[in-house]
Amino acid sequence: MAVQATASFSKLFLSRLMHQYPATLDREGVSGKRVASRLAQLSKIGLTEQQGSHRMSFSDEERAAKELVKVWMKEAGLSIYEDGAGNVFGTLQGKDQEQSILSGSHLDSVPNGGHFDGPLGVLAALEVAQAWQETDYVPETNFEVVVFTDEEGARFNGGLTGSRAMAGEIDMANQVKLKDFNGKSFEKVLEDHQLTLKGFSGSKRSLNKVKAYVEVHIEQGKQLEERNLSTGVVTGIAGPSWLTITFKGDAGHAGNTPMPGRIDPLVAAGEFVLRLKDLPEQVSPSGVATVGKLEVTPNGVNVIPGEVKLTADIRDIDEQWKNQIVAKARALIQEVEEKHGVAVDVQETLNVTPVKLPETMQQIAAEATEQVTGKKAYHLPSGAGHDAMVMGRYVPTAMLFTNSKDGISHNPKEWSTLEHCVETIHALKKTLEAIDQKDRSELL
Ligand SMILES: [Zn+2]
């Protein structure tokens, strides 16, 4: 986008954020204007024709966004460190420097994504650090504002790369085989941004020195909006299981094949899709199941299909619950197979372990949210993956969601009001202050 158009978008974005922002939220060192102006400045980096954000991981745009955040980290009095995976840490020194509390998110986006998914979590953590600095609050332990590299995974079809590298979860033998959409190897992509494979694998860090991790993120759903709440407390992060199912039948002419005796795989698949939606609620309140992709072969108007291939995406925050829904889906497939006489093949093509967040951490975040909003805290699961999912496997972790308008995300229309953003930042600040007063062992 032309420089002038970019500047005028960013100006408009800022004034839209500031519109009807209640100045009473500017207290205890937190500044809504500062948050809004930083969101607006980040929005200029990778701005698309559709006024969305295009900051692919390991791109010049992601790099530019990180460099800008480093400038603000310096302004907030933080000391800056970048690891071999390109994760950026800005540290506010605590009284005891043995341990750290971490908070942050990511700055990369999906292609033509929004301006809040990621940046809000980074700027929220930064705002808390700056507010503490300005009000002379010295935390008991170090506080690190973190920017994780490549959360979205749009480049290598993976995701959570920075946090997984820090946790030492990446299998380097597999990682080096990855190629991006231009056929560039992972190593070459690292090199293009002054990173190396050695440095990347050396970014593993001892996480028992991390006392807690707290992430702010937009909800990407409508639950908070429907309840008119700014902030929600996340119960857990759902891990998906994918079942890729192929239904095989007898292809035939739509006109010349009588109805009796047909073996139509699309009719079988149709029954599966229809009945799959009733399975999650038989198991848990947080489970979901979706078929979003279906291929019909040969896909002709006047042809009874010979084959239908679809993928069921099943998620829950509890592994046992998820496994039960998957088992029910498998039983349904078998029932449909027998009823319609089709041949079925089932492959589990993905299985990510969900992460439940500790009750104690949820409780601390809920009390903080209630203090700030004056409303009873609302708990909800996260259906999408976040860096908090990786951190939650090793470190006491909490997550706060901010109200997203119409639940839209990964889209230029993504929007959260500044009032909602700043209320969540206050809740984050109080959550971090409460964690700061406790021992790590009390948090799990
Ligand atoms: Zn995100």
Side-chain angles (χ1 to χ4, degrees):
M1 200 179 256
V3 176
Q4 213 172 356
T6 304
S8 71
F9 166 79
S10 157
K11 232 171 132 183
L12 211 73
F13 184 81
L14 176 60
S15 71
R16 201 177 150 207
L17 275 171
M18 291 308 295
H19 181 64
Q20 293 185 329
Y21 171 70
T24 49
L25 281 175
D26 282 355
R27 52 175 193 258
E28 297 157 36
V30 172
S31 159
K33 178 89 188 268
R34 184 165 55 208
V35 174
S37 134
R38 287 175 174 174
L39 278 168
Q41 288 180 68
L42 282 172
S43 79
K44 290 190 220 172
I45 305 172
L47 187 66
T48 65
E49 290 296 331
Q50 295 78 29
Q51 305 191 326
S53 167
H54 194 89
R55 284 195 299 268
M56 301 295 280
S57 46
F58 303 103
S59 66
D60 292 346
E61 289 79 16
E62 186 191 34
R63 170 51 52 199
K66 282 176 180 172
E67 293 304 321
L68 183 55
V69 166
K70 281 184 185 172
V71 171
W72 297 329
M73 283 174 164
K74 272 205 192 102
E75 208 178 290
L78 311 184
S79 52
I80 296 160
Y81 169 74
E82 184 172 326
D83 72 12
N87 296 316
V88 175
F89 304 88
T91 304
L92 179 69
Q93 261 191 14
K95 292 174 197 159
D96 163 28
Q97 282 143 44
E98 265 298 290
Q99 291 190 68
S100 286
I101 297 172
L102 266 63
S103 179
S105 196
H106 60 97
L107 295 171
D108 65 314
S109 77
V110 296
N112 200 27
H115 300 288
F116 296 82
D117 178 343
L120 180 62
V122 172
L123 295 182
L126 183 58
E127 191 59 27
V128 171
Q130 197 144 8
W132 282 349
Q133 185 82 331
E134 286 175 12
T135 55
D136 298 319
Y137 176 92
V138 181
E140 296 299 320
T141 57
N142 281 352
F143 176 58
E144 297 179 39
V145 177
V146 53
V147 181
F148 285 118
T149 297
D150 185 30
E151 190 272 346
E152 297 287 4
R155 185 151 198 165
F156 292 100
N157 245 330
L160 309 173
T161 306
S163 49
R164 287 191 297 125
M166 186 172 107
E169 280 188 9
I170 292 194
D171 173 357
M172 289 308 287
N174 271 331
Q175 193 71 19
V176 294
K177 288 187 204 147
L178 297 180
K179 294 218 181 337
D180 76 356
F181 37 78
N182 292 323
K184 239 187 216 180
S185 71
F186 184 69
E187 183 173 16
K188 180 79 181 80
V189 167
L190 286 183
E191 268 173 19
D192 287 350
H193 291 91
Q194 287 74 51
L195 297 167
T196 61
L197 282 178
K198 192 161 175 260
F200 181 85
S201 58
S203 60
K204 180 177 181 327
R205 171 171 169 180
S206 152
L207 293 179
N208 53 17
K209 294 270 176 30
V210 177
K211 189 170 156 185
Y213 175 71
V214 187
E215 180 166 351
V216 164
H217 202 279
I218 56 162
E219 183 200 337
Q220 306 178 278
K222 291 193 248 190
Q223 296 198 49
L224 295 173
E225 188 178 48
E226 281 164 5
R227 287 160 184 85
N228 195 23
L229 297 168
S230 63
T231 310
V233 177
V234 176
T235 52
I237 300 152
S241 272
W242 287 355
L243 293 181
T244 299
I245 310 153
T246 310
F247 298 85
K248 284 187 182 148
D250 292 340
H253 192 283
N256 297 331
T257 316
M259 295 310 286
R262 283 190 185 193
I263 299 178
D264 183 338
L266 185 53
V267 172
E271 178 162 351
F272 172 76
V273 173
L274 186 67
R275 290 174 60 189
L276 176 71
K277 77 172 173 44
D278 298 326
L279 301 183
E281 65 176 14
Q282 295 171 14
V283 174
S284 91
S286 46
V288 287
T290 310
V291 174
K293 190 178 179 191
L294 186 142
E295 293 159 42
V296 179
T297 311
N299 206 24
V301 174
N302 56 357
V303 188
I304 302 166
E307 188 179 297
V308 174
K309 190 173 173 183
L310 59 82
T311 300
D313 174 305
I314 296 167
R315 297 173 188 228
D316 210 327
I317 58 168
D318 180 287
E319 190 167 23
Q320 273 190 345
W321 290 344
K322 187 179 75 167
N323 290 343
Q324 282 176 40
I325 303 170
V326 169
K328 278 179 182 286
R330 284 182 180 275
L332 174 60
I333 294 165
Q334 210 172 0
E335 205 188 311
V336 165
E337 178 176 15
E338 284 161 18
K339 183 173 165 188
H340 295 278
V342 289
V344 179
D345 174 67
V346 187
Q347 304 286 339
E348 187 177 70
T349 41
L350 181 73
N351 186 357
V352 178
T353 311
V355 172
K356 259 190 169 171
L357 299 177
E359 295 284 342
T360 329
M361 293 293 284
Q362 284 187 50
Q363 192 55 37
I364 292 170
E367 278 167 23
T369 304
E370 283 169 8
Q371 272 180 46
V372 171
T373 62
K375 294 178 184 169
K376 192 168 166 20
Y378 180 69
H379 294 252
L380 72 170
S382 170
H386 298 290
D387 293 307
M389 180 166 145
V390 177
M391 296 300 286
R393 293 200 263 267
Y394 310 93
V395 170
T397 294
M399 208 172 170
L400 290 168
F401 270 169
T402 298
N403 184 315
S404 322
K405 189 176 185 305
D406 302 321
I408 295 172
S409 79
H410 287 183
N411 184 295
K413 289 206 181 81
E414 192 175 275
W415 187 258
S416 294
T417 67
L418 186 60
E419 179 177 3
H420 288 153
C421 294
V422 175
E423 277 205 350
T424 308
I425 291 171
H426 278 292
L428 171 70
K429 183 167 170 283
K430 288 205 185 313
T431 300
L432 293 167
E433 286 165 3
I435 289 170
D436 193 38
Q437 297 303 316
K438 293 191 190 299
D439 284 334
R440 195 186 198 267
S441 58
E442 293 175 82
L443 299 172
L444 278 166

